[in-house]
Amino acid sequence: MSRKPFIAGNWKMNMTVATGTKLIEELKPIVKEAKCDIALCVPAILIPAMVKAAKGSRIKIGAQNVHFADHGAFTGEISADMLKDYGIKFVIIGHSERRQYFGENNDTVNQRTLAALKAELTPIVCIGESLSERDGGKTEEVLTRQLEFGLHGVEDVKNVVIAYEPVWAIGTGKTATDEQAQETIKFIRKKLSKMFTVKDANRVRILYGGSMNAGNCKGLMAQPDIDGGLIGGASLKTDFAKIVNFNK
Ligand code: 13P
């Protein structure tokens, strides 16, 4: 089953209107011929300006979070409808930084995922083990829990993108080896095929994230179960285009 590659950037809490606009202007011509889907998930307040900057290009602007309620007394949160006002399609959910610093857990990830799907947004659901969990042989157990709780009640899993981001590889320069990433993502797909159907699991795009860059993207993208990348640091510079053009 062929799945269209998907390279998504996660700007995290970086960039301003001026620097973000400049980067998108620089990226536009160099990603024109790319064969993959391309997204940049930007801070919420930059969405209007970045949507304007990316207009008419291959780059889709995405968000980094969405709240589970339609509206209401949730100070500081953003609803699906607010994202849809700007034509947003992709939204990151449950990034490990949100789990680590902002109390996100498998239950809130589940609620946000269901809310995104209900609003016809495509959630990029992040999962991944810590170093101590990997060293303790708990990787599969942790991922199983994140998938079973995080995707509970999801009817159409093919509308979900999964990002496997081992916490120990994020921002550390320590990428998982091609084999480690492939083996773990293959496990994730097998788990999805048990939770849903083999056919649907084979349609889910599963991205790798964690110190992915212009130098290591080719090897990772050559793995049969890796369908793309969720890129942090390297999405803040024009190097991002080299990842997008990984097959050139
Ligand atoms: P880095 O690419 O900076 O390691 O970040 C990965 C990440 O967390 C993407 O969501």
Side-chain angles (χ1 to χ4, degrees):
M1 165 106 28
S2 80
R3 297 174 293 267
K4 191 171 185 192
F6 180 27
I7 303 292
N10 174 9
W11 279 3
K12 307 190 179 183
M13 196 177 74
N14 291 294
M15 304 299 234
T16 60
V17 171
T19 57
T21 304
K22 181 167 175 280
L23 178 60
I24 288 179
E25 288 302 339
E26 286 167 354
L27 286 172
K28 270 165 68 166
I30 40 179
V31 302
K32 226 166 57 192
E33 311 288 328
K35 303 276 185 293
C36 58
D37 286 333
I38 312 166
L40 284 173
C41 298
V42 308
I45 197 165
L46 297 187
I47 286 174
M50 296 311 112
V51 165
K52 199 167 150 207
K55 200 169 174 212
S57 81
R58 295 285 317 281
I59 304 168
K60 299 260 176 292
I61 300 302
Q64 298 178 7
N65 200 6
V66 65
H67 197 261
F68 31 83
D70 293 342
H71 58 84
F74 300 101
T75 302
E77 292 287 328
I78 307 271
S79 75
D81 277 353
M82 294 171 192
L83 296 177
K84 290 181 72 174
D85 268 351
Y86 290 93
I88 297 297
K89 178 169 160 57
F90 298 104
V91 56
I92 296 174
I93 291 176
H95 191 278
S96 66
E97 287 147 18
R98 295 216 53 88
R99 293 179 192 252
Q100 190 178 348
Y101 305 125
F102 303 103
E104 196 84 63
N105 56 45
N106 290 333
D107 180 44
T108 55
V109 168
N110 180 239
Q111 292 188 59
R112 293 185 202 273
T113 302
L114 293 176
L117 289 169
K118 188 174 130 208
E120 296 180 347
L121 294 169
T122 300
I124 302 175
V125 179
C126 300
I127 60 173
E129 80 287 0
S130 67
L131 187 57
S132 63
E133 287 162 344
R134 176 160 283 261
D135 288 346
K138 294 208 157 56
T139 300
E140 295 191 353
E141 185 187 319
V142 169
L143 296 175
T144 296
R145 211 164 43 233
Q146 289 173 334
L147 288 169
E148 285 182 350
F149 283 91
L151 300 183
H152 182 76
V154 167
E155 281 173 11
D156 224 349
V157 76
K158 62 181 187 298
N159 297 335
V160 174
V161 173
I162 302 286
Y164 167 58
E165 300 206 300
V167 179
W168 48 272
I170 296 177
T172 57
K174 218 170 148 190
T175 328
T177 63
D178 299 346
E179 294 73 27
Q180 267 173 335
Q182 162 58 24
E183 192 193 352
T184 314
I185 289 181
K186 188 176 168 194
F187 167 79
I188 293 168
R189 198 176 302 286
K190 205 169 110 202
K191 182 74 213 163
L192 290 177
S193 69
K194 284 187 194 144
M195 289 168 58
F196 301 93
T197 63
V198 174
K199 192 171 164 218
D200 279 353
N202 282 335
R203 292 177 71 175
V204 176
R205 290 190 287 187
I206 309 181
L207 318 181
Y208 167 80
S211 299
M212 191 161 164
N213 58 38
N216 59 28
C217 63
K218 270 198 172 59
L220 288 161
M221 291 302 293
Q223 303 303 314
D225 281 288
I226 302 181
D227 304 314
L230 185 55
I231 323 294
S235 73
L236 301 172
K237 34 191 187 175
T238 48
D239 255 25
F240 183 63
K242 294 192 186 139
I243 307 176
V244 164
N245 294 315
F246 68 92
N247 49 3
K248 273 203 177 154

